[in-house]
Amino acid sequence: MGRKIWYSSAIFLVVCIAVFILWQKYKEENSYYLVTRWGREGKGEGEFYLPHSIAFDDSGYIYISDKNNHRIQKFTSDGRFITKWGKKGIREGEFKFEEGIVIDRLGYVYVVDPYNHRIQKFTSEGKFVLAWDTKKKNECGNGFPEGIAIDDSNNVYIADGMFHCIKKFTSTGKLITRWGRKGMGDGEFNAPRGVKIDNDGFVYVADMRNHRIQKFSPGGVFIAKWGRKGDAEGEFHLPFGLTVDKENYIYVHDSNHRIQKFTSSGDYITGFKRVDSDRLWYMGGMAVDDSGYLYVVNGYEHCVMKFAPSQK
């Protein structure tokens, strides 16, 4: 009898060890390492001062909102400088601490200009096209846009962190719909910051002060939510940015100075923090290219960082 018990215990131990090894291998294969970085503090070409957001166009060019330099910079995917535009001001083509940035299917660039309470639209070379005001009374407040996203029909979604709502516009600035109010219930927000669209048209919102992600239909119908305040896997502390890759995986960064990856239904996959520096991240926008590389704007270190999954 004793031998059978010992034998069963040994088998159980071996199984546990095997499961642990496989789980560690899975986590390693789904974690990320730093490939390269570019940029430093400054005002010159390819330099940044608290950069905020990042976007790709369909040709693979990268656009960075260089927030405290009040300009947009354009690069190749490996960080070679192409062009820049903008300066501090209130006129067309000028910015006041711009934040979110997205590119539509036609190559037009949309920039959130929050302190001027507007969205500006440009060609891919920086020529001003149009702008629209986001502080109309009938939209859900006086308007302080922060996050921005665009769908396959070139409709523009804005996260208004001051008035706790999401606004959906046409590409020319006509309001289509809006949803949300301040609160903790489903479809309510407390300072939403990030907004992104997946390949099926679903809308994801980083509901910052509620420490969660919410998922909606394109028209604003609540579908799901995940997260709560904390630092464990699947928990958040002030999530303020997110992005979606081509396979509809969701990446979220928060004030725990880490990035977490989820399925589109909120199941935790992996996460990582910086291990090569004792300086805290002041992370801005993120984007994932078609090859799976993750680009992160690091405002604290005034640079763009490119990460690869461990299996690459």
Side-chain angles (χ1 to χ4, degrees):
M1 178 66 71
R3 181 175 295 180
K4 289 184 178 180
I5 294 175
W6 179 88
Y7 184 74
S8 298
S9 298
I11 293 176
F12 178 76
L13 179 61
V14 169
V15 170
C16 288
I17 292 173
V19 169
F20 177 79
I21 292 172
L22 289 172
W23 173 242
Q24 291 300 314
K25 185 174 185 297
Y26 174 81
K27 290 180 72 176
E28 290 173 1
E29 290 176 347
N30 283 279
S31 105
Y32 289 75
Y33 65 93
L34 182 65
V35 175
T36 189
R37 55 184 283 170
W38 71 86
R40 62 182 181 181
E41 183 176 358
K43 296 182 178 181
E45 295 176 353
E47 296 178 334
F48 305 105
Y49 186 27
L50 291 179
H52 188 278
S53 294
I54 181 171
F56 286 96
D57 67 18
D58 286 344
S59 299
Y61 290 109
I62 298 174
Y63 301 75
I64 305 292
S65 61
D66 188 6
K67 182 175 178 178
N68 280 35
N69 279 328
H70 313 283
R71 65 185 181 183
I72 304 300
Q73 295 198 65
K74 179 179 179 179
F75 300 88
T76 63
S77 60
D78 59 357
R80 181 171 59 86
F81 174 82
I82 301 292
T83 190
K84 66 180 187 293
W85 69 89
K87 63 179 182 179
K88 188 175 183 179
I90 63 173
R91 296 190 177 105
E92 294 176 352
E94 298 177 342
F95 306 107
K96 191 175 181 182
F97 303 105
E98 81 284 354
E99 295 195 358
I101 183 170
V102 291
I103 320 295
D104 72 14
R105 295 298 184 187
L106 300 176
Y108 289 106
V109 182
Y110 301 77
V111 182
V112 176
D113 193 8
Y115 292 92
N116 286 323
H117 303 282
R118 65 185 178 184
I119 309 300
Q120 296 197 68
K121 180 178 178 179
F122 301 88
T123 67
S124 60
E125 300 305 318
K127 182 179 178 181
F128 176 82
V129 177
L130 60 84
W132 70 85
D133 193 345
T134 61
K135 60 182 180 180
K136 297 176 183 177
K137 292 286 187 180
N138 64 347
E139 287 175 7
C140 64
N142 289 326
F144 192 84
E146 294 182 86
I148 188 170
I150 197 157
D151 64 21
D152 286 340
S153 299
N154 293 335
N155 295 313
V156 179
Y157 297 73
I158 302 295
D160 192 321
M162 183 176 291
F163 293 98
H164 316 287
C165 67
I166 303 298
K167 305 171 185 178
K168 180 179 179 180
F169 297 91
T170 67
S171 60
T172 57
K174 181 181 179 181
L175 181 67
I176 298 172
T177 188
R178 65 177 179 84
W179 68 88
R181 61 181 181 181
K182 188 173 184 178
M184 300 175 63
D186 295 347
E188 297 178 335
F189 305 106
N190 189 354
R193 287 290 300 273
V195 57
K196 290 299 175 185
I197 316 296
D198 73 12
N199 294 318
D200 297 321
F202 293 109
V203 183
Y204 301 82
V205 179
D207 188 6
M208 186 176 73
R209 295 194 180 277
N210 282 328
H211 311 284
R212 65 186 181 182
I213 304 300
Q214 294 197 67
K215 180 178 179 178
F216 299 89
S217 74
V221 177
F222 173 82
I223 295 175
K225 64 186 176 186
W226 69 88
R228 62 180 181 179
K229 188 174 182 179
D231 59 7
E233 294 177 353
E235 296 179 340
F236 306 107
H237 179 60
L238 301 176
F240 47 85
L242 73 168
T243 194
V244 183
D245 68 19
K246 66 179 183 179
E247 297 179 345
N248 288 345
Y249 291 115
I250 316 299
Y251 303 73
V252 183
H253 60 73
D254 66 2
S255 295
N256 287 317
H257 308 292
R258 66 179 178 183
I259 296 171
Q260 297 187 79
K261 181 179 178 180
F262 300 88
T263 66
S264 60
S265 57
D267 297 319
Y268 176 84
I269 298 175
T270 190
F272 69 101
K273 293 184 176 183
R274 283 286 297 282
V275 295
D276 61 330
S277 172
D278 60 358
R279 303 179 71 181
L280 298 179
W281 277 5
Y282 170 76
M283 291 185 292
M286 300 182 294
V288 182
D289 68 17
D290 287 342
S291 298
Y293 291 101
L294 173 65
Y295 295 74
V296 179
V297 176
N298 186 340
Y300 189 92
E301 296 177 358
H302 312 284
C303 67
V304 178
M305 309 179 76
K306 179 179 179 180
F307 294 88
S310 294
Q311 62 265 35
K312 281 191 176 293

